[in-house]
Amino acid sequence: MTHPFLDLPPLSAERFAAIEDGVARLLDTRQDVLITQGEALLPLEGAIRAAAGPGTVALNVITGPYGQTFGDWLRSCGATVHDIAVPFHTAVTAEQIREAFAEHPEIDFVSLVHAEAATGNTNPVAEIGEVVREHGALFYLDAVASVGAEPVLPDAWGVDLCVIGAQKAMGGPAGVSAISVSERAWTRMAANPHAPRRSYLSLLDWKERWTDAGRAVLPHAPAQLEMLALQACLERIESAGLDTVMARHRSAALATRAGAVALGGLEPYVYEEKDAAPVATTLRVPADVAASELVARALASDPTLPLVAGGGALAKEMIRVNHYGPDATPGAVQSSLAALGGALAEQGLAVDLETARRAVDEAWTRTR
């Protein structure tokens, strides 16, 4: 008995390297690119532990839950950490970063999440990168949720460590991720006696055994199915055109915001449109409605809808419409809002489904 997922020839080093090159084209980078064999938390943690240590002074930006995680990792490495925490309904500004450097000029590492899918905001990385570059700090960026939905340009923005994953706007698997690494970052890692070595977290091991060795022999057996799926994602994006894919996500976000406002009973969680991430839209529910219960009612009509309640305490007040990847379509947006409208009506709230439908169509047409 044969199976197309099981009876595959081994993934060659040449093909693995070609997929890395595809990631480099997606990011428009000349930095080294490593594809890591695990979900994006693997390179996210590996990069911090490789580049940070007891002598590091870090500026950690918190605009959602992942920023909080990065601060915890930095402190566990022995780094001195200065947090900037902004409300989850907004974004950090370049001026706030500049003020932090003025107060703590010894900062030599900046960690930032580009788009927080969990809270629906996105940060102005290009502007922030200029400030970080002025002060010579190493710039670490989580672009897992933003890649494919909005521009991610490590070289142009001065990002030294840029982590991406395929599971959101790229429309791919969660079990494989990638990181671009600048020469400055490699130098910092090599000088760090606390950087992981002979470890699954070690980026330096991959550099020495794979990149510096000419990418001729894989250090260990790759996650074959995930690698092939990542290659398929890259090929699909290249075929459609990255600008087209990003425009589709932006249209989905704007249409969701417009439709939610027209529907009634819901309002955008992120106040300003400029701060709203194209990858997913978060919505605030009325004070007397529990978001988790509303989502459960909506999903009862169609469990495939890209709807989820906020995590933790946000489960009471926030709904997230995950209009990314294959769900960045007018149909997914319309169906999601219709289901939410029906759930709100069941709880006695006044909604206007027809006006919401027209608002989605008009917003999508206007932005295409």
Side-chain angles (χ1 to χ4, degrees):
M1 180 178 180
T2 63
H3 193 288
F5 290 163
L6 300 179
D7 303 307
L8 295 167
L11 188 72
S12 68
E14 181 181 13
R15 190 166 187 181
F16 193 104
I19 300 172
E20 285 185 334
D21 293 342
V23 173
R25 288 193 300 274
L26 177 69
L27 300 178
D28 194 20
T29 183
R30 295 187 177 182
Q31 297 179 5
D32 288 334
V33 169
L34 297 178
I35 295 179
T36 45
Q37 306 295 282
E39 201 272 339
L41 284 172
L42 171 63
L44 286 168
E45 182 175 0
I48 280 181
R49 298 199 180 279
T56 301
V57 180
L59 174 63
N60 180 54
V61 181
I62 301 174
T63 57
Y66 283 98
Q68 294 170 328
T69 297
F70 300 159
D72 292 341
W73 286 340
L74 286 161
R75 289 181 175 90
S76 74
C77 292
T80 299
V81 182
H82 302 286
D83 289 323
I84 293 180
V86 303
F88 291 174
H89 61 254
T90 187
V92 73
T93 66
E95 186 56 34
Q96 288 173 295
I97 303 298
R98 194 180 304 279
E99 290 170 359
F101 274 110
E103 186 175 355
H104 303 285
E106 68 276 17
I107 289 169
D108 61 5
F109 186 97
V110 175
S111 52
L112 176 71
V113 178
H114 187 183
E116 286 268 13
T119 49
N121 54 30
T122 190
N123 292 301
V125 182
E127 298 170 20
I128 292 169
E130 291 183 11
V131 179
V132 176
R133 205 161 40 235
E134 288 172 10
H135 292 84
L138 208 70
F139 194 10
Y140 162 101
L141 184 69
D142 171 355
V144 174
S146 55
V147 66
E150 55 187 305
V152 177
L153 301 167
D155 292 11
W157 297 344
V159 177
D160 297 287
L161 295 159
C162 183
V163 176
I164 67 167
Q167 68 266 36
K168 289 190 168 63
M170 290 180 68
V176 66
S177 48
I179 181 170
S180 66
V181 186
S182 72
E183 285 300 323
R184 289 197 329 140
W186 284 132
T187 300
R188 174 80 71 96
M189 293 180 199
N192 181 10
H194 303 279
R197 301 307 304 267
R198 295 169 294 282
S199 164
Y200 204 60
L201 286 174
S202 178
L203 299 179
L204 285 170
D205 288 357
W206 267 95
K207 172 178 169 55
E208 291 179 1
R209 299 178 59 193
W210 170 245
T211 307
D212 291 351
R215 300 194 299 179
V217 178
L218 287 163
H220 56 69
Q224 172 136 317
L225 293 178
E226 287 79 2
M227 289 295 297
L228 295 177
L230 175 59
Q231 183 178 35
C233 287
L234 293 166
E235 291 173 348
R236 186 164 60 183
I237 290 171
E238 287 188 348
S239 176
L242 178 57
D243 287 344
T244 298
V245 175
M246 291 190 295
R248 184 162 48 86
H249 283 84
R250 187 62 182 163
S251 294
L254 294 174
T256 302
R257 286 178 70 89
V261 171
L263 179 67
L266 301 172
E267 60 183 39
Y269 189 86
V270 178
Y271 293 172
E272 300 291 335
E273 183 181 295
K274 66 179 178 59
D275 297 333
V279 69
T281 297
T282 47
L283 302 171
R284 191 183 302 273
V285 301
D288 57 348
V289 174
S292 57
E293 295 177 9
L294 193 68
V295 168
R297 286 174 179 266
L299 291 177
S301 64
D302 184 354
T304 68
L305 293 174
L307 297 172
V308 65
L314 295 175
K316 295 181 179 180
E317 62 182 30
M318 178 197 286
I319 291 171
R320 189 169 76 238
V321 184
N322 290 327
H323 46 65
Y324 52 68
D327 287 318
T329 65
V333 173
Q334 292 281 21
S335 298
S336 296
L337 291 176
L340 289 172
L344 286 166
E346 287 178 12
Q347 298 205 10
L349 279 78
V351 295
D352 190 336
L353 293 172
E354 179 57 26
T355 300
R357 185 193 65 77
R358 289 199 304 269
V360 169
D361 286 343
E362 290 170 4
W364 196 285
T365 301
R366 186 169 61 250
T367 58
R368 293 302 286 170

